Amino acid sequence: MTPSRPYLLKALYEWISDNEWTPYIAVDTQVQGVMVPEQFVQDGQIVLNIAMSAVRDLFMDHTGVSFNARFGGVPMNVFVPTAAVLAIYARENGQGMGFGVEPGVEALMQEAEAAEELPHSNDEPPREVPPRAEGKPKLTIVKN
């Protein structure tokens, strides 16, 4: 059976967004394949605002969550393997879901490892993200 995490992640993202709340994901940065701004990682975790107003080119599938965002004004391509997502919740009220160990999570880990083995071009400069008309999106570090 395939893992339920990718399906639940997409459904909860849609539910949070439809209610006009701000979707955040908590990420385990120790999972292989995680590409996030290291300067914001605390205790092996990072919380990311994945609202459409905060990111560009958001894409979620069975392998992970990817998007482009600015961190401290610097554009960055972010990739979070699905197995590294610890929780998704609304900033405004904390409603959402935390993910524990589930059957099939090993398959997600293997997919993340396989994606890491693909050749990446590090010579390519980050894509310049133009500012939006309504102002620059802001990501906020949330401490527990």
Side-chain angles (χ1 to χ4, degrees), residues 113-125:
E113 289 172 8
E116 261 306 287
E117 293 172 6
L118 296 175
H120 296 288
S121 174
N122 291 335
D123 298 333
E124 189 176 307

Side-chain angles (χ1 to χ4, degrees), residues 93-120:
N93 59 14
Q95 290 187 16
M97 177 183 282
F99 299 106
V101 177
E102 65 174 312
V105 77
E106 297 85 14
L108 291 174
M109 296 296 285
Q110 289 173 351
E111 286 179 18
E113 289 172 8
E116 261 306 287
E117 293 172 6
L118 296 175
H120 296 288

Side-chain angles (χ1 to χ4, degrees), residues 35-37 56-57 66-69 71 74-79 124-127 129:
M35 293 175 18
V36 296
R56 282 188 126 28
D57 303 326
S66 63
F67 58 88
N68 299 312
F71 297 90
V74 178
M76 180 178 182
N77 295 322
V78 175
F79 179 73
E124 189 176 307
R127 188 183 82 158
V129 179

Side-chain angles (χ1 to χ4, degrees), residues 13 15 21-22 25 29 34-36 45 51-52 68 71 75-76 88 92 112 120 126 136:
Y13 175 84
W15 173 68
W21 296 331
T22 310
I25 57 173
T29 60
V34 172
M35 293 175 18
V36 296
Q45 295 184 6
M52 290 306 284
N68 299 312
F71 297 90
M76 180 178 182
I88 181 169
E92 292 78 3
H120 296 288
K136 292 183 182 177

Side-chain angles (χ1 to χ4, degrees), residues 44-96:
Q45 295 184 6
I46 189 170
V47 175
L48 300 168
N49 176 349
I50 58 169
M52 290 306 284
S53 61
V55 302
R56 282 188 126 28
D57 303 326
L58 178 68
F59 182 74
M60 286 188 240
D61 66 4
H62 285 358
T63 58
V65 178
S66 63
F67 58 88
N68 299 312
R70 287 183 177 268
F71 297 90
V74 178
M76 180 178 182
N77 295 322
V78 175
F79 179 73
V80 177
T82 305
V85 178
L86 300 172
I88 181 169
Y89 60 94
R91 178 192 71 196
E92 292 78 3
N93 59 14
Q95 290 187 16

